[in-house]
Amino acid sequence: MTVASETNRSGPYTGNGVTTAFDYEFRIVNRDYLKVLKANAAGNETVLTIDADYTVTNVGNSGGGQVVLTVPLSTGQTLTLLPLVPFTQEIDLENQGAYYAETVEKAFDLSVMRDQQLQEQINRAVTIPASEDPAQLDGLVHDILRLADSADEIDIVAGIAPNVTTVAGIAADVSSVAGNATNINIVADLDPGATGSLLLAAEAAADARNILDAAPYVTTRAALKALDTTKDQVAILTEQGRRGVFVWSAGNWSTLVAADTLEGVYIKANTVASAAGAWIRAHGNQPLNVLWFGALGDNVQDDQPMFAAAYALAKVIGSATTEGPCGSVWGPPGYRYKWGATLNLDVPVRLKIEGEIFYTPVAGAAIVVGATLHTARGNTQYDIDIGVMRAVNGNGAAPTGINTGGSIGIELRDVQFSHIRVEFAIAFTYAGIYANASNNVFTGQHIQDNWINFGEVAYCGVGFLAESHGAADGAFQVNEVHIQNTFGNWCNLVVGKAGDGNTNNNLFFVSAADSDTGGGNLIVWSSYNFLQFGYIIGAIDLKAGSFYNRVVHQVGNAQCPVTDNGTGNLVQNNVEGTLSQERWQSSDVAKPPINVINTDGGATVAEVIAMRRRSPTAAANDGGVAIAAYFFDDAQQEILGGRIRTDMPTVASAGTNYNMRWLFETIVGGARAVRAIIWQGLTVGASAADQGLGTVNVDTGYYKSGIKVVGAQNTGWTAGTGTALKAAWAAYAGQTHTGAYVQATVQALDDNCKNSSQRVKAIEDALRTHGLIN
């Protein structure tokens, strides 16, 4: 976060005896980085102490927050708020170590805050004009010191100067007063009145306080309960962590007193039934602070009961329903909250824990959201914001597996339209976050339409795990999940489980998915999910049964190997491109699902589609690549209609001695056969040229079983003349000739010679027509 404002102080604010909350208008990153000064009418300043005198809200907010005093600022007093950034630098960047931009940015922010703090002090310093010689400062300081030595005398004279002037002007009146000494004595004998007499007679401070109706200070809740509510209506509790102003309120508060088991807000008086009245903390619209309920945040005491007590009271105050948060519970920053049990949230709440949670059990979840089924199926609208969650007895080093009976950071069960944010989850043996819609706790666990944000998830069994039971009832679906960095988990991200097609239609955005410790980086069992990774290293496994998922990332296949045993999944990166099946669908025959267009105006051939086969072994490439056409048969079953493929049956080395062939395969009688139908001219050979529609131009010749049957055109023939015989004719069978030739025999020979020559002429014409001779 940047430091965009130059504001370096707030105040001074003037007290009115009622207001307790005052704005600080600059950003602080730690509640201790704020100096709170209270000044009385004389200008004497007191530095207030955090927790004892005030609390701080919205630490880290760019616009600042509020300082809330435990006691209202009195009339005549002022309050000034200043930054108090320490002059230390504790960030140690190792050479070639991990680089976290946020860590460096935080150091820069602190430097700017420190500069603004110094500028505020300079603004209050005595300075000389820039045009003056700084050497003159020595003389000025010497004169100031001389005056300081006579300060007492100067103060005396200055203090009585008006009086001296006045007395000098009323000398005659002074003489008159001296003549009225008797009357002055009468005034001295006047009765001070009832209140004055009581005050003069009071022997104890408590008596004087009761007379003046001043609020008492009590150090314990026991002392608060013991107050006489007929005399005291306001009290100030100074018990550590529970400090605050309590107001006596008549009325039936029995329900809230009973709900507030740890006396954070509602406290029963010893001598008055809660149905008649109670002491109530004056906290305005502030969230319920777990410190009021006894949390210490020292990582020694178990603070989970205090969070549970604050949540239980919030449910009663807010008349909890299944829609909208019932109230707000706050764990202030700067504390380490040890938890020895699960915090179960069964109705919506705003829970903000800015400190760290140290979860000690070896099983179960630190927080369960939607712990019981919301039968109304309403919009649950939880607002959960957690700083750091640690499994104290979790994975001490890189995990070697997933403990399905182990610890969980946050478990989601029945949650809708909610906001879940965790800054850091570490060392949980089962999962950092478990989106559990598997119905393994109660029927109808449904997680839908939520916004889930994780800062970092590390050293867990699974970083993020989502499982479902059924699409209609018990599914993790239509959620948006953001993860800044997940690393060092056995498996970083698991979407679904075996047989689960209902963890679907979710968006996952992961800035960095660093190396897992053996279980794989991403495992997808389910369907219709979109997952985008800025950086990822480790295996992606799309399991059998997964379908139509989309995975997009920015690294190569060698760094992020992909196994896709699903249907219609797509894995795409910016190195190899799409690594698994991509499908397009259209129901309009006039609108092809794919249009590839090149608008280059050059004469060079534009390559618009490239198919590549990259088998690990050379021989495997011989199978080539193909374009296949599938159709539905009459039973609406998809069948192969044909293929166009190209292969290289021999490959010696790159760029030399290799052959390529095209094969047009059709289906005949249900079996695939190599056939070809040419609708435009086909050229075969290096020098052959396309001769137009329906032609085949062969450079050398046609072969049958290795024997050349048609070759190049035979030239040198002179065209025959005469009539060609194409009609039917009987081949001459021959006859026996005797010594005497008769006319019929000679005529028969003549006729057959004529017919034969005309048939030869017809064959010659045919050969010439088809270009075989010339």
Side-chain angles (χ1 to χ4, degrees):
M1 183 178 290
T2 63
V3 182
S5 172
E6 294 185 359
T7 301
N8 54 21
R9 63 179 286 143
S10 294
Y13 299 104
T14 303
N16 58 12
V18 177
T19 303
T20 59
F22 300 89
D23 295 334
Y24 65 91
E25 299 164 308
F26 45 87
R27 178 180 166 223
I28 60 173
V29 297
N30 188 300
R31 68 176 194 148
D32 294 323
Y33 292 179
L34 185 65
K35 186 175 185 179
V36 181
L37 291 173
K38 181 173 71 174
N40 59 21
N44 297 319
E45 293 182 344
T46 302
V47 179
L48 301 188
T49 303
I50 193 165
D51 290 335
D53 300 316
Y54 67 93
T55 58
V56 181
T57 69
N58 291 340
V59 173
N61 191 315
S62 61
Q66 286 190 325
V67 168
V68 181
L69 302 180
T70 56
V71 178
L73 187 64
S74 300
T75 301
Q77 294 181 331
T78 62
L79 194 73
T80 303
L81 310 178
L82 302 173
L84 187 62
V85 182
F87 288 85
T88 58
Q89 201 288 104
E90 299 179 352
I91 297 175
D92 183 15
L93 300 177
E94 298 181 358
N95 187 31
Q96 297 185 350
Y99 176 82
Y100 295 99
E102 189 170 348
T103 299
V104 177
E105 185 181 40
K106 181 178 179 182
F108 289 158
D109 289 351
L110 286 173
S111 296
V112 172
M113 293 175 187
R114 199 174 292 114
D115 292 342
Q116 292 180 346
Q117 176 179 315
L118 292 172
Q119 183 61 52
E120 190 279 332
Q121 295 173 6
I122 292 171
N123 291 343
R124 291 185 283 110
V126 176
T127 61
I128 63 174
S131 59
E132 293 291 337
D133 184 359
Q136 296 179 6
L137 280 174
D138 291 339
L140 176 61
V141 172
H142 178 70
D143 293 339
I144 292 172
L145 293 176
R146 288 180 57 205
L147 289 172
D149 291 338
S150 303
D152 292 340
E153 291 79 5
I154 294 171
D155 288 341
I156 293 171
V157 173
I160 65 172
N163 297 335
V164 171
T165 302
T166 301
V167 171
I170 60 169
D173 295 333
V174 172
S175 299
S176 298
V177 170
N180 288 295
T182 302
N183 295 333
I184 294 173
N185 291 332
I186 294 172
V187 172
D189 293 333
L190 290 176
D191 186 352
T195 301
S197 297
L198 290 174
L199 286 172
L200 292 172
E203 297 182 357
D207 296 328
R209 177 180 54 76
N210 288 333
I211 294 169
L212 296 174
D213 196 21
Y217 284 79
V218 291
T219 58
T220 64
R221 283 163 290 143
L224 177 64
K225 297 175 186 179
L227 290 176
D228 184 350
T229 58
T230 63
K231 296 180 179 179
D232 296 309
Q233 301 294 306
V234 178
I236 300 170
L237 177 64
T238 61
E239 184 177 348
Q240 182 180 2
R242 296 175 178 263
R243 296 177 177 85
V245 177
F246 282 79
V247 178
W248 176 257
S249 179
N252 186 354
W253 299 99
S254 57
T255 300
L256 290 169
V257 168
D260 192 355
T261 56
L262 296 183
E263 301 178 331
V265 177
Y266 298 90
I267 300 178
K268 178 188 173 300
N270 288 342
T271 59
V272 182
S274 59
W279 287 103
I280 302 176
R281 180 185 291 273
H283 67 94
N285 293 323
Q286 294 183 60
L288 299 183
N289 187 334
V290 296
L291 301 181
W292 300 344
F293 297 82
L296 297 180
D298 58 0
N299 200 20
V300 177
Q301 173 187 278
D302 184 359
D303 288 333
Q304 187 275 347
M306 293 73 184
F307 280 86
Y311 173 58
L313 178 59
K315 291 196 293 183
V316 177
I317 294 175
S319 301
T321 67
T322 60
E323 295 190 12
C326 63
S328 300
V329 176
W330 179 46
Y335 294 94
R336 310 175 83 191
Y337 303 108
K338 178 181 178 181
W339 283 14
T342 297
L343 179 63
N344 288 301
L345 307 178
D346 53 6
V347 295
V349 67
R350 285 192 178 93
L351 174 63
K352 185 170 186 177
I353 304 177
E354 297 185 77
E356 298 183 57
I357 297 174
F358 289 79
Y359 184 67
T360 60
V362 297
I367 299 175
V368 174
V369 184
T372 58
L373 177 64
H374 296 151
T375 55
R377 309 302 296 153
N379 300 337
T380 56
Q381 297 178 6
Y382 285 89
D383 188 354
I384 310 299
D385 191 346
I386 309 298
V388 178
M389 310 180 74
R390 297 178 182 271
V392 176
N393 296 307
N395 294 318
T400 57
I402 302 171
N403 180 1
T404 56
S407 56
I408 301 167
I410 287 188
E411 180 180 351
L412 309 179
R413 292 183 185 169
D414 192 43
V415 188
Q416 298 181 63
F417 298 101
S418 296
H419 174 190
I420 311 296
R421 178 185 177 275
V422 178
E423 184 178 330
F424 194 10
I426 183 171
F428 292 94
T429 57
Y430 188 8
I433 185 168
Y434 180 21
N436 179 13
S438 65
N439 285 5
N440 66 350
V441 179
F442 52 81
T443 301
Q445 294 172 233
H446 209 65
I447 308 169
Q448 179 176 319
D449 298 298
N450 300 291
W451 189 84
I452 302 169
N453 187 304
F454 254 61
E456 294 183 351
V457 191
Y459 306 114
C460 298
V462 181
F464 185 98
L465 170 63
E467 295 181 343
S468 297
H469 173 71
D473 194 21
F476 181 83
Q477 59 187 11
V478 199
N479 299 283
E480 184 172 336
V481 179
H482 293 255
I483 301 175
Q484 180 66 29
N485 196 355
T486 174
F487 61 92
N489 306 290
W490 175 251
C491 183
N492 282 330
L493 183 60
V494 177
V495 181
K497 60 182 179 179
D500 170 14
N502 299 297
T503 300
N504 55 45
N505 298 105
N506 300 288
L507 300 176
F508 294 86
F509 300 96
V510 183
S511 297
D514 242 315
S515 300
D516 57 90
T517 60
N521 207 312
L522 170 64
I523 297 175
V524 180
W525 294 92
S526 206
S527 58
Y528 299 108
N529 296 286
F530 177 84
L531 304 100
Q532 180 169 323
F533 295 83
Y535 173 81
I536 183 171
I537 180 169
I540 294 177
D541 190 358
L542 299 164
K543 296 290 189 180
S546 66
F547 53 94
Y548 301 121
N549 297 284
R550 296 292 182 265
V551 181
V552 181
H553 62 84
Q554 314 298 325
V555 300
N557 193 39
Q559 184 173 331
C560 185
V562 176
T563 301
D564 184 4
N565 292 314
T567 302
N569 295 308
L570 167 70
V571 179
Q572 180 177 335
N573 66 46
N574 286 345
V575 179
E576 285 89 7
T578 300
L579 302 182
S580 58
Q581 292 183 0
E582 174 69 290
R583 300 195 178 196
W584 295 271
Q585 180 172 319
S586 173
S587 60
D588 189 338
V589 296
K591 295 180 180 179
I594 303 175
N595 285 282
V596 182
I597 300 171
N598 183 286
T599 59
D600 177 51
T604 305
V605 172
E607 183 179 285
V608 294
I609 297 179
M611 298 185 295
R612 291 178 169 84
R613 181 159 184 175
R614 296 176 175 176
S615 300
T617 58
N621 286 294
D622 294 353
V625 295
I627 300 173
Y630 291 83
F631 304 88
F632 273 1
D633 61 14
D634 292 344
Q636 294 292 294
Q637 299 296 317
E638 193 171 72
I639 59 173
L640 176 64
R643 299 193 310 180
I644 301 174
R645 69 184 178 94
T646 178
D647 59 25
M648 291 181 288
T650 58
V651 179
S653 62
T656 62
N657 191 26
Y658 69 89
N659 301 307
M660 185 193 76
R661 61 187 178 187
W662 285 92
L663 297 92
F664 297 82
E665 301 176 343
T666 60
I667 304 299
V668 179
R672 189 168 69 238
V674 179
R675 298 170 181 265
I677 298 177
I678 307 301
W679 285 77
Q680 185 56 272
L682 174 66
T683 63
V684 181
S687 62
D690 188 357
Q691 298 302 304
L693 182 66
T695 65
V696 177
N697 190 7
V698 181
D699 190 296
T700 303
Y702 292 91
Y703 289 77
K704 174 65 173 70
S705 301
I707 299 173
K708 186 175 183 180
V709 295
V710 178
Q713 184 184 61
N714 192 298
T715 60
W717 290 70
T718 301
T721 60
T723 302
L725 176 62
K726 296 182 180 180
W729 67 291
Y732 180 58
Q735 57 185 301
T736 302
H737 293 275
T738 62
Y741 294 96
V742 296
Q743 189 271 341
T745 303
V746 175
Q747 185 64 48
L749 289 171
D750 184 78
D751 290 342
N752 277 288
C753 286
K754 180 186 72 172
N755 291 338
S756 297
S757 67
Q758 290 179 346
R759 178 63 73 177
V760 171
K761 175 66 167 62
I763 293 171
E764 178 191 345
D765 291 347
L767 292 174
R768 196 179 300 279
T769 299
H770 289 284
L772 296 178
I773 64 173
N774 189 25

